[in-house]
Amino acid sequence: MEHHRNDVFAPIDIDHVMERVAGGNETEVYRSDDHRFVVKLKGELGSRDAAKLADARSMQQAARRFAACLGPRHAIPTYFVLSRDSEGFVHALAIQPYLANARVLASIDWKTIDVAQRRQIGRDLRHIIARAVGCLFRTGHLPDLYGRVSASAAERKRRKQLRYLAERIWSFLVKRTILHSQNLMLTAEQPPRLVLIDYDEVRRSPLYRVIYFLTRLILFGRDLIVIWWRLERG
């Protein structure tokens, strides 16, 4: 794990040093020294002034909306604070409890999971998909149940280049089924829970959102078949 020092961590870490534990499509994820919290930082959304309050409120509203849609069994609390980084940019930090020993679905070897637990996970995934679809039709917003992973901010920026477009489309449409999710984690509780850890909205044009949501609805149908085939049959 890499350790990073930045004044942006001041609200939650006394020495301003945190450990990077993951990275997504837009976000860098860090863990506090006491392993109690994770802090999510969106480097691309920094501002030179303090006008991030509206953004933080919008993100908090989205997090509450999606958590309410999924219900307490499949959601975790998310809080937002404004903080200025070492270069003077203001960021809205997302703070969540750190889920010790939890695993993202993409990292699970399903052969090591017994049949009863696989079937329960399958039922939970169906329930989560149904709630996500209900959220879309009730609110016009859809939680991201999939997510992406990046090794660093530099890699994330590089993979957004046009030459990677075909690979990104192939990954989106074919490779990243719900069982390869980076945004759903299986907790170490007994019994374990499936929880969504990302509560970001799609921040694109209305046309993009319509195309994205329609595509996701089609892919949900595919994923219901994948869930039955990999987790529930037999």
Side-chain angles (χ1 to χ4, degrees):
M1 297 293 185
E2 305 173 30
H3 288 81
H4 297 259
R5 187 189 189 285
N6 196 309
D7 291 345
V8 78
F9 301 136
I12 196 169
D13 192 271
I14 193 168
D15 63 1
H16 304 182
V17 176
M18 297 190 74
E19 182 181 35
R20 183 187 187 275
V21 293
N25 190 41
E26 298 177 337
T27 308
E28 293 291 292
V29 184
Y30 303 89
R31 180 173 61 186
S32 62
D33 293 341
D34 57 10
H35 292 192
R36 294 178 57 200
F37 303 102
V38 293
V39 173
K40 297 183 176 182
L41 171 64
K42 295 182 181 298
E44 294 88 347
L45 298 182
S47 171
R48 279 292 184 187
D49 55 44
K52 299 296 295 179
L53 182 58
D55 289 342
R57 286 174 172 167
S58 176
M59 288 187 279
Q60 181 74 76
Q61 183 180 31
R64 289 174 176 168
R65 178 193 305 118
F66 291 144
C69 285
L70 293 181
R73 174 171 169 76
H74 301 300
I76 58 174
T78 305
Y79 306 97
F80 292 87
V81 299
L82 294 181
S83 182
R84 194 178 297 275
D85 68 16
S86 300
E87 297 181 357
F89 289 94
V90 176
H91 299 264
L93 300 182
I95 301 175
Q96 296 176 327
Y98 176 66
L99 302 176
N101 300 317
R103 295 175 290 172
V104 295
L105 285 193
S107 71
I108 295 177
D109 180 359
W110 295 106
K111 295 178 182 178
T112 66
I113 307 296
D114 65 63
V115 173
Q117 187 174 345
R118 284 205 307 270
R119 288 176 175 168
Q120 181 58 56
I121 293 171
R123 289 192 291 269
D124 285 345
L125 284 172
R126 288 179 179 275
H127 183 66
I128 288 171
I129 289 174
R131 281 184 167 268
V133 172
C135 186
L136 175 61
F137 285 108
R138 286 196 310 274
T139 71
H141 300 275
L142 184 69
D144 183 5
L145 304 183
Y146 299 82
R148 294 174 60 184
V149 64
S150 62
S152 66
E155 181 197 12
R156 183 168 61 249
K157 183 177 180 180
R158 184 175 66 252
R159 296 189 68 82
K160 288 182 178 180
Q161 296 175 6
L162 185 60
R163 61 194 175 108
Y164 290 103
L165 178 61
E167 181 180 332
R168 294 202 307 271
I169 292 175
W170 175 258
S171 176
F172 177 81
L173 295 176
V174 179
K175 293 180 64 177
R176 282 189 290 143
T177 69
I178 196 74
L179 297 189
H180 294 90
S181 171
Q182 298 288 342
N183 284 351
L184 289 171
M185 298 192 78
L186 186 67
T187 70
E189 301 167 287
Q190 292 301 325
R193 292 188 300 145
L194 273 180
V195 296
L196 181 69
I197 59 171
D198 190 298
Y199 299 88
D200 290 340
E201 291 183 298
V202 177
R203 292 184 298 271
R204 296 292 184 89
S205 69
L207 177 60
Y208 178 94
R209 286 160 54 89
V210 168
I211 295 173
Y212 175 85
F213 292 155
L214 288 175
T215 304
R216 278 298 186 207
L217 289 176
I218 294 171
L219 294 179
F220 280 154
R222 173 207 61 184
D223 285 341
L224 292 175
I225 298 173
V226 171
I227 290 167
W228 172 81
W229 182 261
R230 294 288 305 277
L231 303 182
E232 298 177 329
R233 71 185 178 97

